[in-house]
Amino acid sequence: VHATLEDLTGHGLDGNRNGISEGSPLDDVSWSFTVRGGQVLEVVTTANEGPGSLRQALQDAQPGDTITFNLPPVDDTQAATIVVTGNPLPSLWQGYLTLNGGGVTLDGNGLAWGNGLEIDADRNVVTGLRITGFPDAGIALRGTYNTIGGANATPGGACSGDCNVLSGNQRW
């Protein structure tokens, strides 16, 4: 939310410009808001970086956004794989971000260090990802009230739909 606060004369909070907001008619307040609705950011390439990549979507995302994946599957049984190389992916610092993987695999075998996803904010949702091969944690979770997985995520059970699979990472 962006807000502009002015008195009815078009000045700031101090309508009569004496350095004090006395509540006089000159200090009455009007509000104007610009509200940004959540955007959908689409990952359209398995490239590690650049336009349409997961790395770019994480850098561009704002609170309330949803990141989705529109990647062709490897075959009829396997979704696309994004191999993370160089540096770890940017952290989810925004809060209120939804990351809907649709079965995409994040492969960390190209990293010397780092986590698969780092969540440093509150109220994010991460579903439908397979996170494997990272030298540290598959998901490093430091925020609160985050949802990791979905309604059909059963420990030890089959994963379909919106659950996440974390395997082969050096730490949990």
Side-chain angles (χ1 to χ4, degrees), residues 42-57 68-72 80-83 104 106:
E42 195 171 55
V43 176
V44 295
T45 180
T46 58
N48 182 57
E49 59 187 322
S53 69
L54 175 58
R55 184 177 302 275
Q56 189 67 54
T68 62
F69 293 77
N70 185 10
L71 299 169
T81 297
I82 297 172
V83 178
V104 167
L106 298 183

Side-chain angles (χ1 to χ4, degrees), residues 131-157:
I131 302 173
T132 184
F134 284 86
D136 290 316
I139 297 178
L141 186 59
R142 289 181 279 280
T144 58
Y145 302 107
N146 291 290
T147 301
I148 308 301
N152 63 347
T154 305

Side-chain angles (χ1 to χ4, degrees), residues 1-4 31-37 63:
V1 175
H2 170 76
T4 304
W31 293 82
S32 125
F33 287 98
T34 304
V35 178
R36 177 190 178 276

